[in-house]
Amino acid sequence: MEIQMKLARGHEPSAEPDMWQRYVRAERLLAANAERLTSDLLIHPRWIGGSSRFWYRWKSLAGVEFVLVDPATGERKPAFDHSRLAAALSQATGSPCNAAQLPFSEMEFVDDGGGIVFDLEVDGKRERWSCDLETYECTRVGDPPTTAGDVTRSPDGLWEAFTRDYNVWIRSLSSGEERAITTDGAEKNDYGENLPSPLASGGIDDPPPPFIKWSPDGGKLLFCRIDQRDAPQFHLVQSVPKDGSLRPHLHSFAYPLPGDDVLPLAYLYCADLNTGAVTAVDIDPIEVQYHGPPVYGNGLWWSDDSQTIYFVRQGRGYFRIDLSIIDAATGASRNAISEESSTGIDPSVWRGTSNVRVFASGARVIWYSQRDGWGHLYLYDAEEGSLIRQLTAGDYEVSNVEHIDEAARLVYFTAMGREANRDPYYGNLYRVSLDGGEPELLTPEDADHAISFAPAGGCFIDNYSRVDQAPKIVLRAADGSTICELERADISALEATGWRKPERFKAQARDGSTDVYGVLFRPSDLDPEAQYPVIDYIYGGPQAIQAPAAFADAARERDKNFWEAQSLAELGFLVVMIDGLGMPGRSKAQHDHSYRNLPDNGLPDHILAIRQLADQYNYLDASRVGIFGHSAGGYASCRAMFAYPDFFKVAVSSAGNHDHRLDKATWVERYMGLPVGEHYVFSANQNHAENLKGKLLLIHGDMDENVHVASTMVVVDELIKANKDFDLLIMPNQPHSCTAHPYFVRRRWDYFVQHLLGVDPPAGFQISE
């Protein structure tokens, strides 16, 4: 049926009908299509008020259900009568409504749970509706609250903050009253904004909300003034402007490079909305190293009483971390805790997040550090800045602080690698006393556990799975005991297609003693007597793990590579994803293998792992190996072709940051360090282009805001000088995140099918949007 539908769209099969069918199967297992073959894999709880009660929306293979859970009683039930609501909506709107596919995805309980409100689209217009859950009378109650992306709303929902004419303003949502908070903002020296991205000016993406943080009581604003007047500019030429103009557009923006002396500077300010006072924070300006917010993640936040601001700051080169404590009324600041390292440090195992927590009314701090060789938690006195005790220790890595129970003096955290004889990338939840002692394991199953703690404490949602085991989702009490089972993911429709579960494997690294881990994807119709070429799906960035540890990873936006790998395998390949030396999640020494050594990419470990798999599986052909990756993976895949030309035969390298001297300072300085020296020169891919032997396809979007297209063009220039044959695809109006574009996907498939499998790809195959 699917093949007939494909032909009905006007496509003709190639001379290889089997490949046409393989392409159809591969398309069926791309992320958007594979999700139709499974139930939801994750729960996104909506906690109700300050309680531990919550609801969630769950898509099964039969339809969608809204579920209400009361942890106090362990009751799990439909949030309302779906059939009665569907009938009432059909009558009220005059449009048929299906109980299994209600026309909204978000809602809010009102009237102490006696009713719900939600938004509908009626006659092309968004409207807000309510439903009385006793009578099931549905009523239109007005227009939805504004959700404009250019404002940020106060905690009480009564005010919104925005920027206008380079200044910060507030607006009353009830009266419409507007008030300017600052008045002296100017172009490239403005208040409340982010460092601009060219995607907004190019019409490719909306600008992010302003960088304005409301205090919890709604009485204060925290924001920055970014001075970029002297910052060097980068330029993108938009050859096919979105506005229909025939003249290419030039987009110039601040984009600091490693070692730049002049950077955009962000100055912190605090505004008291009751007095109108705007106070400059007495702290050195933040050197903004990338477009977007001047502080990423959870590194800048208010105290619960709205009197204090906390700032986890990393300096240039990432050799130092400080916790600054700021008095919101006076702007006075002090460094409470500082730590330095010679190889770059982070406040969490995951770049861009922080495990630093301040509690006990500001008197105590949970501090994360790898100072003893592993990522652990330390308890500090915030006033004295003195260490009280180390809370966790051992050969394992703390990944996230999930909750602090001050009354019981317990810290709940996830960690990897603590349980013996288990995959060290599986996360588990533990708790440890603030007074010291051994951590207690709360999630005993041999699987990867993703945790969502109730904001009020007392319970948590545990989603656990492996790549070969679909998620099971349970609600647990704080002591780890099971309150009730919430869901079991249903993958029966996926399995009915013949899909083979991926295999998690381990191999020995180049040092002869360290185990590295990966995942092997096979085609659904694997013939053990045949020989299959191998494709290495690599990332190589030292801030991220590439190989998924859990089936639930397939549903996370950042991990669509699960389905990218599986769909590619359906074309007749074995696809591997491997985390070699230098990647995060293990010891600091293992992570530091990549420091000032990005050209390594863990590639020697990848080669050894593939050869070890070939020894295990006769159908794996280690003489035909391809490689692909995007961004840092684009760099790594191209480097593989230049550094190991006799092993890697074909590569598709997209958006590669091929010369780290041309890449963003914020990422490169963390992993290549300062100053910019000869190791940067050696790392530049274009300086090794003469080594190319195999087939190489380079892809880049001409509006890539993250890795400038010049990074690919310098490689192109050297390949031409070296008289090398290669292929190049420049995609107009494509930003950095372009790998899901149907044409991109098809061209990558075609390249490996033609040059690694040795078969002509099906002519005219078109992947649906």
Side-chain angles (χ1 to χ4, degrees), residues 521-542:
F521 294 83
R522 300 174 173 88
S524 298
D525 61 350
L526 178 81
D527 179 359
E529 302 303 318
Q531 284 276 290
Y532 291 86
V534 185
I535 298 177
D536 186 351
Y537 184 2
I538 192 170
Y539 179 65

Side-chain angles (χ1 to χ4, degrees), residues 178-226:
E178 295 183 346
R179 176 156 51 105
I181 304 302
T182 65
T183 58
D184 62 333
E187 184 178 4
K188 294 190 176 182
N189 190 24
D190 51 349
Y191 291 96
E193 288 289 0
N194 301 271
L195 195 63
S197 158
L199 298 187
S201 61
I204 295 171
D205 198 5
D206 294 328
F211 186 77
I212 302 172
K213 293 180 177 287
W214 287 88
S215 61
D217 65 6
K220 301 182 183 70
L221 295 178
L222 177 66
F223 52 87
C224 289
R225 182 176 194 170
I226 299 181

Side-chain angles (χ1 to χ4, degrees), residues 393-413:
D395 293 351
Y396 64 93
E397 184 76 21
V398 171
S399 48
N400 291 298
V401 174
E402 303 289 350
H403 179 67
I404 300 175
D405 185 337
E406 295 186 41
R409 296 188 58 75
L410 293 169
V411 180
Y412 292 80
F413 64 94

Side-chain angles (χ1 to χ4, degrees), residues 298 348-350 353-355 357 368 377 397-403 411-416 428-430 449 451:
N298 58 341
S348 167
V349 65
W350 311 123
T353 65
S354 172
N355 273 328
R357 302 288 187 273
Y368 170 91
L377 303 180
E397 184 76 21
V398 171
S399 48
N400 291 298
V401 174
E402 303 289 350
H403 179 67
V411 180
Y412 292 80
F413 64 94
T414 48
M416 301 178 292
N428 283 281
L429 182 71
Y430 302 85
H449 296 258
I451 305 300

Side-chain angles (χ1 to χ4, degrees), residues 420-435:
N421 301 317
R422 290 190 184 179
D423 189 316
Y425 290 98
Y426 286 171
N428 283 281
L429 182 71
Y430 302 85
R431 65 181 180 184
V432 68
S433 172
L434 290 168
D435 298 316

